[in-house]
Amino acid sequence: MIEVEDEAVGLAVEDAGGVVFHAVHPVLQSLHGIVFADIVEAQQAAVRAFRNAA
C-alpha cells in the first residue's frame, strides 16, 4: 500500500520487471499500470503526482 499524507493512493505489486502501480485514488489514475524499478520509485512518483494535483 502506498500512502501520501496519510491517504491511501495506490498499491505497488511486484512483477518480473519491477513493481506495478495500481491507483486507488482518482488523481493518480495517470500512474495506473506503470511499472517502476522498485517501491521507492513508485512512492516518489505517487507523492509528486498527488502534490501536483492539489
Side-chain angles (χ1 to χ4, degrees), residues 4-48:
V4 178
E5 299 174 10
D6 295 325
E7 187 164 352
V9 295
L11 300 170
V13 179
E14 283 191 69
D15 190 302
V19 294
V20 180
F21 185 82
H22 296 277
V24 297
H25 194 287
V27 301
L28 296 184
Q29 288 302 307
S30 64
L31 297 179
H32 188 79
I34 293 180
V35 178
F36 293 95
D38 54 38
I39 188 69
V40 173
E41 187 178 314
Q43 174 75 34
Q44 290 171 342
V47 168
R48 279 191 307 272

